[in-house]
Amino acid sequence: MNQFSYVRATTAKAAIDAISKDKNARFIAGGTNLLDLMKSGVLAPERLIDINRLPFKDIILQNNSLHIGAMALNSEVAAHELVKTHHPLLSQALLAGASQQLRNMATIGGNMMQRTRCSYFYDTSMPCNKRTPGSGCGAIGGINRMHAIFGASDQCIAVHPSDMCIALVALDATVLVTGPKGNRRIPFGDFHRLPGDTPDKDNNLAKNELITGIEIPASPFTKNVYYLKVRDRASYAFALVSVAAALDISNNTIRAARLAMGGVAHKPWRLQEAEKTLIGKAPTAENFRIAATVATQSARPYKHNAFKVPLAQNSIVTALQKAAAI
Ligand SMILES: Cc1cc2nc3c(=O)[nH]c(=O)nc-3n(C[C@H](O)[C@H](O)[C@H](O)COP(=O)(O)OP(=O)(O)OC[C@H]3O[C@@H](n4cnc5c(N)ncnc54)[C@H](O)[C@@H]3O)c2cc1C
Ligand code: SF4
């Protein structure tokens, strides 16, 4: 690991001032992704700004929305009564991520900002446009079993790895941000990016902006929800595909639906066309199969990941069945 200096910030202003002064500085929260990247030589920040003392840890109901501080730990959020009562889908998604030890260190802000788990990105002997713009992509002609089937570009086919973010895009969360120009709010679906010509950029946060929290509006999705994660082994693995499913059902009719997928695109992938097919319908396996077919119409698999298309369809049907309890 390269040498770096370390400073601890106790106010948001101090953290933002510190990062604005230094081109090669990074915030560090739980360190569970950043330190991995530093150890593998993907990143070599000269200065780390520790943000663990910042006062963004609260989990509260405010103006009918659930507000979760960016420094709250993944384990605390998953276990919190307000989260389990108002947004059980988020709790389920968090518990599907990583291991208990990691969830005890990982923060909400850090989880949103974690980088792709593409193995070529972590292998500094391989070309990677995300790590070194213009160097090429090892995955496109390589082993791309874990890679995207939606929204990829000819520069990068990596997927976004977070479980939590899949639930947050389904729940229409908002990201709360502060920076040198003040505060701003970013709809969750606009926070992460597709790779296009700039795969090195994972999201729309400026380098000197700090995530302070997320806000999740009240919703009817408190009962019929399910987060399904399909992975190569039972614990401690990133998703091959995952599905966040939420239904509002009354009198055997679906009044509202939310569907999003992980492990399939460079960003949390919301399935709005598929959601629309469910409205006004009965919660049956047949209607869920129609939604799954619509959801995968734009899929473009690569040499080693064509299996993800039927896997995604079957996972959508299963997640909806579990959510509807049929
Ligand atoms: C072995 C292993 C298995 C894992 N499995 C899963 C899994 O199955 N599912 C899953 O979702 N995740 C998984 N993870 C990833 C883990 O959830 C993330 O590493 C973690 O959430 C990152 O949070 P952190 O607080 O440790 O971030 P850090 O590592 O401290 O930071 C990550 C990045 O976020 C930036 N950052 C942190 N906080 C802020 C903020 N408030 N504002 C702006 N920038 C910020 C940092 O500068 C850094 O660039 C796994 C990780 C490991 C090591
Ligand atoms: S898929 Fe993206 S992250 Fe992976 S090697 Fe290609 S450019 Fe790099």
Side-chain angles (χ1 to χ4, degrees):
M1 212 192 280
N2 293 327
Q3 286 203 330
F4 56 88
S5 65
Y6 169 88
V7 60
R8 184 179 276 151
T10 51
T11 64
K13 185 177 179 315
I16 291 161
D17 285 350
I19 204 142
S20 302
K21 267 191 219 136
D22 200 330
K23 219 170 95 208
N24 204 10
R26 294 263 170 171
F27 295 133
I28 182 164
T32 62
N33 189 217
L34 184 62
L35 293 179
D36 264 4
L37 292 166
M38 289 168 66
K39 282 188 260 182
S40 54
V42 175
L43 287 180
E46 284 161 17
R47 193 168 175 76
L48 291 187
I49 300 155
D50 185 339
I51 54 175
N52 283 287
R53 298 264 170 98
L54 298 188
F56 303 125
K57 293 189 177 158
D58 288 350
I59 303 169
I60 49 171
L61 274 179
Q62 224 173 30
N63 304 326
N64 221 17
S65 293
L66 186 68
H67 185 289
I68 302 174
M71 303 310 302
L73 300 177
N74 286 198
S75 52
E76 288 169 352
V77 178
H80 200 282
E81 275 314 311
L82 283 175
V83 179
K84 289 200 290 185
T85 308
H86 293 272
H87 298 293
L89 183 65
L90 174 58
S91 181
Q92 287 180 25
L94 278 163
L95 290 174
S99 63
Q100 184 63 43
Q101 289 95 327
L102 282 158
R103 293 193 294 270
N104 285 342
M105 287 299 291
T107 62
I108 296 299
N111 191 291
M112 278 183 241
M113 296 292 286
Q114 65 174 299
R115 310 225 50 203
T116 183
R117 289 282 163 169
C118 172
S119 55
Y120 298 95
F121 172 71
Y122 276 82
D123 180 349
T124 52
S125 68
M126 295 300 291
C128 172
N129 290 322
K130 182 179 280 298
R131 178 172 20 82
T132 313
S135 63
C137 169
I140 288 177
I143 305 298
N144 41 40
R145 181 173 174 274
M146 296 298 289
H147 291 74
I149 55 172
F150 296 115
S153 74
D154 58 6
Q155 301 243 348
C156 177
I157 61 171
V159 295
H160 173 76
S162 164
D163 290 293
M164 177 191 82
C165 293
I166 310 309
L168 288 175
V169 79
L171 293 169
D172 268 342
T174 298
V175 187
L176 310 176
V177 168
T178 189
K181 295 182 190 154
N183 299 338
R184 66 181 181 117
R185 299 165 61 88
I186 309 174
F188 207 87
D190 297 336
F191 183 78
H192 296 98
R193 298 163 57 108
L194 290 180
D197 292 338
T198 50
D200 50 314
K201 293 192 171 75
D202 295 328
N203 55 60
N204 290 313
L205 196 72
K207 187 189 164 271
N208 54 6
E209 284 184 313
L210 175 75
I211 302 168
T212 58
I214 50 171
E215 209 175 83
I216 315 175
S219 79
F221 307 114
T222 50
K223 185 165 157 263
N224 294 114
V225 299
Y226 199 78
Y227 185 75
L228 177 75
K229 180 172 179 180
V230 182
R231 48 188 152 182
D232 281 328
R233 55 181 191 200
S235 85
Y236 218 131
F238 290 91
L240 280 169
V241 307
S242 66
V243 181
L247 296 170
D248 176 20
I249 303 171
S250 64
N251 297 328
N252 203 37
T253 303
I254 299 169
R255 307 285 170 194
R258 298 279 173 78
L259 270 178
M261 290 197 80
V264 293
H266 200 256
K267 61 186 283 187
W269 194 250
R270 179 91 177 259
L271 303 168
Q272 277 165 320
E273 290 306 310
E275 289 171 4
K276 283 184 207 153
T277 69
L278 293 167
I279 311 299
K281 305 274 171 49
T284 62
E286 196 190 343
N287 287 329
F288 295 160
R289 180 61 59 184
I290 293 168
T293 306
V294 169
T296 48
Q297 263 161 2
S298 62
R300 297 282 175 273
Y302 292 82
K303 187 171 176 192
H304 300 282
N305 71 354
F307 74 96
K308 280 195 179 184
V309 180
L311 182 63
Q313 288 180 345
N314 293 337
S315 301
I316 291 169
V317 174
T318 304
L320 286 166
Q321 283 177 315
K322 296 261 189 196
I326 62 166

